[in-house]
PDB file of all heavy atoms in Angstrom:
ATOM      1  N   GLY A 221      21.214  81.411 -11.678  1.00  0.00           N
ATOM      2  CA  GLY A 221      21.705  80.106 -12.223  1.00  0.00           C
ATOM      3  C   GLY A 221      22.696  80.272 -13.456  1.00  0.00           C
ATOM      4  O   GLY A 221      23.111  79.320 -13.932  1.00  0.00           O
ATOM      5  N   GLU A 222      22.870  81.569 -13.708  1.00  0.00           N
ATOM      6  CA  GLU A 222      23.832  81.952 -14.844  1.00  0.00           C
ATOM      7  C   GLU A 222      23.337  81.343 -16.145  1.00  0.00           C
ATOM      8  O   GLU A 222      24.204  80.759 -16.935  1.00  0.00           O
ATOM      9  CB  GLU A 222      25.241  81.520 -14.475  1.00  0.00           C
ATOM     10  CG  GLU A 222      25.757  82.263 -13.281  1.00  0.00           C
ATOM     11  CD  GLU A 222      27.196  81.834 -12.917  1.00  0.00           C
ATOM     12  OE1 GLU A 222      27.625  80.815 -13.509  1.00  0.00           O
ATOM     13  OE2 GLU A 222      27.864  82.564 -12.140  1.00  0.00           O
ATOM     14  N   VAL A 223      22.068  81.349 -16.389  1.00  0.00           N
ATOM     15  CA  VAL A 223      21.516  80.814 -17.600  1.00  0.00           C
ATOM     16  C   VAL A 223      21.421  81.941 -18.635  1.00  0.00           C
ATOM     17  O   VAL A 223      20.902  83.080 -18.412  1.00  0.00           O
ATOM     18  CB  VAL A 223      20.060  80.249 -17.353  1.00  0.00           C
ATOM     19  CG1 VAL A 223      19.541  79.646 -18.713  1.00  0.00           C
ATOM     20  CG2 VAL A 223      20.157  79.113 -16.356  1.00  0.00           C
ATOM     21  N   GLU A 224      22.047  81.699 -19.871  1.00  0.00           N
ATOM     22  CA  GLU A 224      22.022  82.703 -20.889  1.00  0.00           C
ATOM     23  C   GLU A 224      20.672  83.141 -21.255  1.00  0.00           C
ATOM     24  O   GLU A 224      19.718  82.373 -21.238  1.00  0.00           O
ATOM     25  CB  GLU A 224      22.800  82.244 -22.038  1.00  0.00           C
ATOM     26  CG  GLU A 224      24.147  81.758 -21.790  1.00  0.00           C
ATOM     27  CD  GLU A 224      24.205  80.300 -21.411  1.00  0.00           C
ATOM     28  OE1 GLU A 224      23.186  79.718 -20.955  1.00  0.00           O
ATOM     29  OE2 GLU A 224      25.205  79.570 -21.829  1.00  0.00           O
ATOM     30  N   ALA A 225      20.559  84.381 -21.754  1.00  0.00           N
ATOM     31  CA  ALA A 225      19.217  84.961 -22.145  1.00  0.00           C
ATOM     32  C   ALA A 225      19.022  84.775 -23.647  1.00  0.00           C
ATOM     33  O   ALA A 225      17.970  85.187 -24.109  1.00  0.00           O
ATOM     34  CB  ALA A 225      19.145  86.464 -21.771  1.00  0.00           C
ATOM     35  N   ASP A 226      20.015  84.222 -24.354  1.00  0.00           N
ATOM     36  CA  ASP A 226      19.884  84.220 -25.830  1.00  0.00           C
ATOM     37  C   ASP A 226      19.751  82.757 -26.267  1.00  0.00           C
ATOM     38  O   ASP A 226      20.116  82.401 -27.393  1.00  0.00           O
ATOM     39  CB  ASP A 226      21.099  84.841 -26.529  1.00  0.00           C
ATOM     40  CG  ASP A 226      22.397  84.199 -26.116  1.00  0.00           C
ATOM     41  OD1 ASP A 226      22.358  83.406 -25.109  1.00  0.00           O
ATOM     42  OD2 ASP A 226      23.439  84.429 -26.728  1.00  0.00           O
ATOM     43  N   ILE A 227      19.099  81.934 -25.477  1.00  0.00           N
ATOM     44  CA  ILE A 227      18.966  80.523 -25.831  1.00  0.00           C
ATOM     45  C   ILE A 227      17.480  80.233 -26.023  1.00  0.00           C
ATOM     46  O   ILE A 227      16.627  80.906 -25.602  1.00  0.00           O
ATOM     47  CB  ILE A 227      19.560  79.611 -24.708  1.00  0.00           C
ATOM     48  CG1 ILE A 227      18.740  79.819 -23.420  1.00  0.00           C
ATOM     49  CG2 ILE A 227      21.045  79.735 -24.579  1.00  0.00           C
ATOM     50  CD1 ILE A 227      19.132  78.798 -22.350  1.00  0.00           C
ATOM     51  N   LYS A 228      17.309  79.160 -26.772  1.00  0.00           N
ATOM     52  CA  LYS A 228      15.900  78.680 -27.074  1.00  0.00           C
ATOM     53  C   LYS A 228      15.987  77.149 -26.855  1.00  0.00           C
ATOM     54  O   LYS A 228      16.803  76.442 -27.452  1.00  0.00           O
ATOM     55  CB  LYS A 228      15.512  79.062 -28.418  1.00  0.00           C
ATOM     56  CG  LYS A 228      13.958  78.650 -28.746  1.00  0.00           C
ATOM     57  CD  LYS A 228      13.027  79.625 -28.016  1.00  0.00           C
ATOM     58  CE  LYS A 228      11.553  79.271 -28.370  1.00  0.00           C
ATOM     59  NZ  LYS A 228      10.658  80.080 -27.670  1.00  0.00           N
ATOM     60  N   THR A 229      15.154  76.615 -25.949  1.00  0.00           N
ATOM     61  CA  THR A 229      15.068  75.233 -25.741  1.00  0.00           C
ATOM     62  C   THR A 229      13.643  74.696 -25.764  1.00  0.00           C
ATOM     63  O   THR A 229      12.769  75.411 -25.288  1.00  0.00           O
ATOM     64  CB  THR A 229      15.674  74.856 -24.373  1.00  0.00           C
ATOM     65  OG1 THR A 229      15.658  73.512 -24.189  1.00  0.00           O
ATOM     66  CG2 THR A 229      15.030  75.603 -23.205  1.00  0.00           C
ATOM     67  N   ASP A 230      13.479  73.543 -26.316  1.00  0.00           N
ATOM     68  CA  ASP A 230      12.196  72.891 -26.339  1.00  0.00           C
ATOM     69  C   ASP A 230      12.210  71.588 -25.507  1.00  0.00           C
ATOM     70  O   ASP A 230      11.533  70.589 -25.823  1.00  0.00           O
ATOM     71  CB  ASP A 230      11.820  72.533 -27.784  1.00  0.00           C
ATOM     72  CG  ASP A 230      11.455  73.841 -28.571  1.00  0.00           C
ATOM     73  OD1 ASP A 230      10.916  74.760 -27.933  1.00  0.00           O
ATOM     74  OD2 ASP A 230      11.840  73.890 -29.724  1.00  0.00           O
ATOM     75  N   ILE A 231      13.164  71.535 -24.503  1.00  0.00           N
ATOM     76  CA  ILE A 231      13.191  70.359 -23.650  1.00  0.00           C
ATOM     77  C   ILE A 231      11.838  70.042 -23.047  1.00  0.00           C
ATOM     78  O   ILE A 231      11.127  70.977 -22.649  1.00  0.00           O
ATOM     79  CB  ILE A 231      14.316  70.539 -22.562  1.00  0.00           C
ATOM     80  CG1 ILE A 231      14.546  69.217 -21.775  1.00  0.00           C
ATOM     81  CG2 ILE A 231      13.877  71.721 -21.646  1.00  0.00           C
ATOM     82  CD1 ILE A 231      15.361  68.310 -22.506  1.00  0.00           C
ATOM     83  N   THR A 232      11.514  68.766 -23.065  1.00  0.00           N
ATOM     84  CA  THR A 232      10.186  68.355 -22.473  1.00  0.00           C
ATOM     85  C   THR A 232      10.375  67.722 -21.138  1.00  0.00           C
ATOM     86  O   THR A 232      11.421  67.153 -20.818  1.00  0.00           O
ATOM     87  CB  THR A 232       9.495  67.362 -23.431  1.00  0.00           C
ATOM     88  OG1 THR A 232      10.381  66.249 -23.627  1.00  0.00           O
ATOM     89  CG2 THR A 232       9.186  68.087 -24.777  1.00  0.00           C
TER      90      THR A 232
END
Side-chain angles (χ1 to χ4, degrees):
E222 299 180 347
V223 182
E224 304 90 329
D226 58 347
I227 60 172
K228 184 73 176 179
T229 179
D230 291 324
I231 187 75
T232 58

